Amino acid sequence: MADDQFDAALDLLRRLNPKHTTQNVSHICSLVPSLEEELLASVDQPLEVRRCKKTGRDYLLCDYNRDGDSYRSPWSNEFEPEIEGAEVPTEKVRKMEIKANEAFDVYRELYYEGGISSVYFWSLDDGFAGVVLLKKSSSTSSRASGVWDSIHVLEVQDRGRLAHYKLTSTVILNLGSQAEALGEMDLSGNMTRQVTADLAVDGGAEGEGHVINVGKMVEDMESKMRNLLQEVYFGKAKDVVGDLRSK
Amino acid sequence: MVTKSETVSSFVQAAPPGEVDIKALAPSEVQSLEPAFKKYNEEQYTTVKLSGSSQTVIVSSYNVLDDGRYFDTASQTSFEVDHSSQTASSAQSYTLDSRNADAIQSLLKAFSAAATEHFPSSTVGVYPTDSDSSIAILLVANKYSPQNFWNGRWRSTYVFDPSSKSVSGTVKVDVHYYEDGNVRMSTSKKVEASSSSAEGIVREIAKAENKFQEELNRAFSTLAEGSFKGLRRQLPVTRQRVEWEKIAGYRLGQDIGGGRAKT
């Protein structure tokens, strides 16, 4: 019964306007409180931003850098607000996490020319897991605006000379415009794709090999998804309108 | 404090074309959902078939009667609607009582003809409104393609004032695409026109809708080139992919223009 409800909840969320996902999740939780934990962990919502008190840099929030009501800044590696005995990554994982944040900071600037990025890693028995987050807002004029959120969840297993990488990527996109000729237009949505790869890990004491592999996979995936989103959002929606009415 | 019924009602209202089904989440709420389904059907111009006819008729707030039944001008019938199953029953003959009866019939004829020119499939309705001082002209066109994971709905709503010979209204288009994701497009545009004859009104409406559709098609391109590109480029300005060995290897981000704390 609980499983049916969870599936129904996910199904419902898929059909409602992605613009209101956060609100809808909260409504569903009020209807069926027992679904809250699972839903919050399974549904992708636009990322929230916080400023790191120590470094003054912005970082993104998610379940993976959260402990209770506190969040860990990838720049300072500290939880805000402070918690007693909070769990931070091991030194080895933290070194790799720092490298990844620096590398994705460059990636972010090259592709997004602005925006915010954050990477969080944690160790697993036979490897490590992580999440790469990116967020960018734009307003070309007072009448057109957009927000892009990327959530890349990783699972990496060490297998001797090769490592097995599993990447699940979600992009959440919101575009809106208001124009005299067009009235109000709203395009919102999200898309998820998954890919796995077995790759050799180059040397490097601070996990550079993994960072390089993860970087390439994320870049490939985002580029593919960006093109797909363009095709779907604009191409498909245009086709459907054409099927509804012809001039 | 929002009640359970209000919450479930709001889900029903927000559901995309052709996809209303909340029973699994709140089975006990379904009974009390009748008002929510009614509101959804009236807002979305849900269409129903009257028994013995292949024609569909619109369900809207413009053609609802005091006793909760609905009426259709073209077939001169009134009928009952079961909102949760979206079906009609108990059709009876119904004579339209309106001081604008002639205008309504002319508009119905002209508008139905124009609709078949532009819409592969649609349902039209013309009804008295504003205490019989105006005439409402409605059109709904649907395209459901569940195998291809998409649905679309076009709704036109116009109110014609016979004394000023002017018409004003809105066009709303909703598209939902849900293959491996969930993409929703919705647009709403106000339209205004005036003419002295029923044919003239219908012509002006068609012109305005053509213009809107052109603008919509253009908007798809402008959004793609403008707002979307402003979010994430296809490739960096260098026109090359990132050299991960360089940036993750032995050089720090600062050397390549990264490391900026920008919002």
Side-chain angles (χ1 to χ4, degrees), chain A residues 132-161:
Chain A
V132 176
L133 306 173
L134 291 136
K135 187 181 187 83
K136 170 81 189 288
S137 308
S138 85
S139 31
T140 47
S141 67
S142 60
R143 288 159 158 221
S145 64
V147 184
W148 169 298
D149 287 88
S150 285
I151 300 164
H152 302 279
V153 181
L154 282 163
E155 216 183 278
V156 183
Q157 288 165 338
D158 287 314
R159 289 179 183 174
R161 239 158 345 119

Side-chain angles (χ1 to χ4, degrees), chain A residues 3 7 9 26 43 53 62 78 95 107 145 160 175 178 198 236-237:
Chain A
D3 268 341
D7 287 340
S26 146
V43 176
K53 289 196 177 72
C62 70
E78 287 174 14
K95 281 206 171 101
Y107 170 83
S145 64
L175 290 167
Q178 266 187 326
D198 291 289
K236 193 81 200 177

Side-chain angles (χ1 to χ4, degrees), chain A residues 14-15 105 188 220 226 245, chain B residues 16 182 184 232 241 259:
Chain A
R14 261 190 331 115
R15 292 156 186 280
D105 194 35
S188 309
D220 276 346
R226 188 207 183 273
R245 182 183 190 278
Chain B
N182 178 11
R184 192 84 166 267
R232 185 189 185 279
R241 294 219 151 181

Side-chain angles (χ1 to χ4, degrees), chain A residues 14-15 58 105 107 111 115 136 180-181 184 186 188-190 208 216 219-220 222 226-227 245-246, chain B residues 16 19 118 180 182 184 186-189 210 213 230 232-234 241-242 244-245 248 259 262-263:
Chain A
R14 261 190 331 115
R15 292 156 186 280
D58 285 332
D105 194 35
Y107 170 83
Y111 277 98
K136 170 81 189 288
E180 191 51 56
E184 273 173 37
D186 197 83
S188 309
N190 55 57
E208 288 92 336
K216 287 181 179 170
E219 182 179 25
D220 276 346
E222 275 203 348
R226 188 207 183 273
N227 291 340
R245 182 183 190 278
S246 56
Chain B
E19 298 175 38
H118 293 285
D180 288 331
N182 178 11
R184 192 84 166 267
S186 71
T187 138
S188 168
K189 160 85 179 138
N210 284 347
Q213 191 163 359
R232 185 189 185 279
R233 304 175 60 96
Q234 207 161 24
R241 294 219 151 181
V242 168
W244 289 96
E245 281 81 0
K262 231 177 167 187
T263 339

Side-chain angles (χ1 to χ4, degrees), chain A residues 57 102 105-106 108-109, chain B residues 253-254 257-261:
Chain A
R57 297 183 71 172
E102 284 170 355
D105 194 35
V106 176
R108 176 198 48 71
E109 193 55 38
Chain B
Q254 269 79 9
R260 266 191 278 167

Side-chain angles (χ1 to χ4, degrees), chain A residues 1 4-6 8-9 11-18 23-25 27-28 30-32 35 49 51 56-58 99 102-116 136-138 140 144-148 173-177 179-193 202-204 208 211-212 214-216 218-220 222-227 229-230 232-234 236-247, chain B residues 2-5 7-8 10-12 14-16 18-22 24-27 29 117-121 141-143 148 150-154 173-190 205-207 209-221 223-238 240-245 247-254 256-263:
Chain A
M1 182 59 201
D4 286 339
Q5 286 194 314
F6 181 67
D11 191 53
L12 179 62
L13 284 166
R14 261 190 331 115
R15 292 156 186 280
L16 295 175
N17 196 331
Q23 198 183 322
N24 291 331
V25 169
H27 282 164
I28 293 180
S30 72
L31 277 182
V32 194
L35 288 179
V49 183
R51 184 144 290 177
R57 297 183 71 172
D58 285 332
K99 270 263 173 275
E102 284 170 355
F104 274 100
D105 194 35
V106 176
Y107 170 83
R108 176 198 48 71
E109 193 55 38
L110 288 172
Y111 277 98
Y112 293 85
E113 298 179 322
I116 307 165
K136 170 81 189 288
S137 308
S138 85
T140 47
S145 64
V147 184
W148 169 298
L173 188 56
N174 264 287
L175 290 167
S177 86
E180 191 51 56
L182 189 63
E184 273 173 37
M185 183 179 184
D186 197 83
L187 262 178
S188 309
N190 55 57
M191 198 177 266
T192 301
R193 289 287 184 279
D202 286 332
E208 288 92 336
V211 174
I212 290 169
V214 168
K216 287 181 179 170
V218 167
E219 182 179 25
D220 276 346
E222 275 203 348
S223 298
K224 277 203 185 77
M225 289 180 80
R226 188 207 183 273
N227 291 340
L229 281 165
Q230 177 151 336
V232 167
Y233 270 59
F234 309 108
K236 193 81 200 177
K238 187 173 169 179
D239 287 345
V240 175
V241 176
D243 279 349
L244 283 172
R245 182 183 190 278
S246 56
K247 292 181 298 154
Chain B
V2 179
T3 67
K4 267 195 172 190
S5 313
T7 301
V8 182
S10 70
F11 285 150
V12 171
E19 298 175 38
V20 188
D21 184 11
I22 322 270
L25 266 186
E29 307 296 326
E117 258 182 61
H118 293 285
F119 296 89
S121 143
N142 288 303
K143 199 94 211 265
N148 296 318
W150 60 261
N151 300 312
R153 174 171 296 154
W154 176 300
V173 184
D174 292 279
V175 176
H176 185 216
Y177 177 65
Y178 47 99
E179 183 171 18
D180 288 331
N182 178 11
V183 177
R184 192 84 166 267
M185 184 216 72
S186 71
T187 138
S188 168
K189 160 85 179 138
K190 285 198 172 63
I205 286 176
K207 246 169 62 187
E209 289 190 352
N210 284 347
K211 189 150 173 274
F212 164 71
Q213 191 163 359
E214 266 167 45
E215 286 299 331
L216 190 52
N217 285 339
R218 244 196 299 269
F220 286 125
S221 313
L223 271 183
E225 294 308 301
S227 306
F228 187 59
K229 186 158 181 220
L231 289 177
R232 185 189 185 279
R233 304 175 60 96
Q234 207 161 24
L235 270 180
V237 140
T238 56
Q240 283 183 342
R241 294 219 151 181
V242 168
E243 290 173 90
W244 289 96
E245 281 81 0
I247 68 176
Y250 309 100
R251 283 170 75 177
L252 282 178
Q254 269 79 9
I256 316 193
R260 266 191 278 167
K262 231 177 167 187
T263 339

